[in-house]
Amino acid sequence: MTDEKKSVLQEYKLEADNELRFEVETKGEKVYLTLKNGLAEIFGTELVKGKTYEFTGGSKVAVFTWHGCTLQVKGKTDVIYTARETPMVIYSNCHAALEEMRTESEIENKRGPTTMVVGPTDVGKSTLCKILLNYAVRMGRRPIYVDLDVGQGGISMPGTIGASVIERPASVDDGFSQEAPLVYHLGHKTPSGNILLYQKITEELAATVKERLEPNKKTRHSGVIINTCGWVKGDGYKQLLLAGKVFEVDVVLVLDQERLYNELVRDMPNYIKIVFLQKSGGVVELSKSVRSEARDQRIREYFYGTPKNQLYPHSYDLKWADVKLFRIGAPKLPASCLPHGMKPEDHRTKLVPLTPHSGISHHLAAVSFAEAEDDVICAHVAGFVCVSNVDEERQTITLLSPQPKPLPNAVLVLSDLQFMDSH
């Protein structure tokens, strides 16, 4: 059944293995969901019976039940319907297979499975990662989530890649708890913005994740789940192969594209299990404008939080002399102008010192943990600030920051991403 623009209170009775899908498109609109009886989950997170969950504009929700349930939905949905065919049983089988591998790793005292989820844009890769992570945590595991999708910023900010240990299921409202994630800065919304830098920080992230797996037995056996970006052709495909190699992947789950599946079967080592999966019928293709809005919303939430968990950022001035500002990547020079022995492509990972100027206003900047300039390119970051204003006369820079000054470190790396603060 499909109900367009419903705003009244509706009750839905779902049979076993059914899914209620709805979207909240309009900004400012809210939809309230309550589980009246039975058992249900959203992307692997169990719903609490009798508790009302709130969803705002832009939400795309799928409520699945294994045994049947009754749901109450109040508010205006753009579309709402019951799906009787879902890939949840297949996704659950993937989880069960990974769980077998984890049990085996405990018996043999070896590393648990590293799983990479791949596929083109808008096929539900991050949703599948969330389901697998939630199921793992509900089994008492402590997996590491790695996000290589710089456009989405699932762990930190758009324009970054990162990793985080998942200790509890994602909340229906705010997702996974992001306590002390490991974050590396690219500064572009796609890997193509600086493919060499993307490659370097992917390798650095893989090495650090492997280091952190070693001392913690529970996390080592729980394994790693990796989300990737939707660029699966040309250089994007090469980056998938690189990620598979540097993370020492055991399992690749390919969503929706048989061509990509067959290419990976051809190009990846035989010991890697490559599995083809159908995407969910509830996955929708996002337009460029919707994707851009989602990115802006993610940045806004970094500074101001969500309606349920509001944050209050700080604004303050710093003297130019008190910060070191850099950009990674310089304009390409012809080979004839380069010093002997330097390759033309090295310009993409060149560290360029910057003097603050009005052109950097509204740009994000990563606060680097690097202690020496040589370490800036591959250092992980403490967090992000936004350059609100540059006063060239007074030689001061105004920053919007999640915490009061001083900065954790005076080294700032400028991003191509911008944020227009409307507060």
Side-chain angles (χ1 to χ4, degrees), residues 247-263:
F247 280 98
E248 297 176 7
V249 163
D250 304 296
V251 180
V252 179
L253 303 178
V254 186
L255 277 169
D256 192 50
Q257 199 177 87
E258 288 187 354
R259 176 182 167 176
L260 177 62
Y261 166 78
N262 284 302
E263 286 174 339

Side-chain angles (χ1 to χ4, degrees), residues 78-318:
D78 192 60
V79 63
I80 186 165
Y81 64 97
T82 300
R84 289 175 175 80
E85 288 186 16
T86 85
M88 283 298 293
V89 173
I90 297 166
Y91 295 170
S92 175
N93 288 341
C94 288
H95 158 70
L98 293 175
E99 194 56 32
E100 272 186 31
M101 294 171 78
R102 292 178 186 122
T103 304
E104 189 182 304
S105 80
E106 288 173 324
I107 295 166
E108 298 179 8
N109 195 23
K110 62 180 185 181
R111 182 172 58 86
T114 296
T115 308
M116 188 164 75
V117 178
V118 305
T121 307
D122 298 332
V123 292
K125 294 186 295 297
S126 54
T127 298
L128 176 55
C129 287
K130 186 185 282 189
I131 291 167
L132 294 175
L133 288 163
N134 278 329
Y135 283 173
V137 172
R138 282 163 61 179
M139 295 292 292
R141 303 295 183 180
R142 205 166 172 263
I144 289 181
Y145 176 40
V146 171
D147 189 14
L148 300 179
D149 184 0
V150 293
Q152 195 169 306
I155 283 178
S156 176
M157 189 79 90
T160 66
I161 63 173
S164 183
V165 177
I166 306 300
E167 298 180 325
R168 59 187 72 92
S171 90
V172 170
D173 310 301
D174 296 324
F176 291 111
S177 170
Q178 302 294 356
E179 292 171 14
L182 182 67
V183 178
Y184 289 85
H185 176 250
L186 178 72
H188 302 273
K189 57 189 178 185
T190 65
S192 60
N194 192 333
I195 194 78
L196 281 177
L197 178 59
Y198 183 77
Q199 187 174 316
K200 269 183 175 287
I201 60 176
T202 299
E203 290 169 349
E204 195 68 29
L205 177 60
T208 311
V209 165
K210 276 188 266 185
E211 267 176 38
R212 297 198 174 186
L213 278 174
E214 281 312 308
N216 190 309
K217 205 171 183 180
K218 191 171 182 180
T219 300
R220 189 166 81 250
H221 296 313
S222 298
V224 181
I225 291 175
I226 305 168
N227 184 35
T228 58
C229 64
W231 186 23
V232 296
K233 293 180 181 176
D235 284 341
Y237 179 72
K238 289 176 185 172
Q239 294 309 307
L240 289 181
L241 294 178
L242 172 80
K245 182 181 176 183
V246 296
F247 280 98
E248 297 176 7
V249 163
D250 304 296
V251 180
V252 179
L253 303 178
V254 186
L255 277 169
D256 192 50
Q257 199 177 87
E258 288 187 354
R259 176 182 167 176
L260 177 62
Y261 166 78
N262 284 302
E263 286 174 339
L264 291 169
V265 168
R266 179 192 69 202
D267 296 333
M268 282 194 150
N270 292 335
Y271 58 80
I272 296 176
K273 295 185 180 78
I274 302 173
V275 182
F276 178 75
L277 300 173
Q278 296 287 350
K279 69 175 180 179
S280 168
V283 173
V284 291
E285 202 168 314
L286 302 179
S287 65
K288 279 189 177 179
S289 61
V290 169
R291 199 176 293 283
S292 179
E293 278 177 31
R295 213 168 10 247
D296 289 345
Q297 180 64 21
R298 183 76 179 147
I299 296 169
R300 193 172 293 107
E301 286 175 0
Y302 180 85
F303 291 107
Y304 290 98
T306 61
K308 285 203 167 184
N309 183 24
Q310 292 191 10
L311 303 175
Y312 301 92
H314 302 263
S315 181
Y316 50 80
D317 294 344
L318 292 176

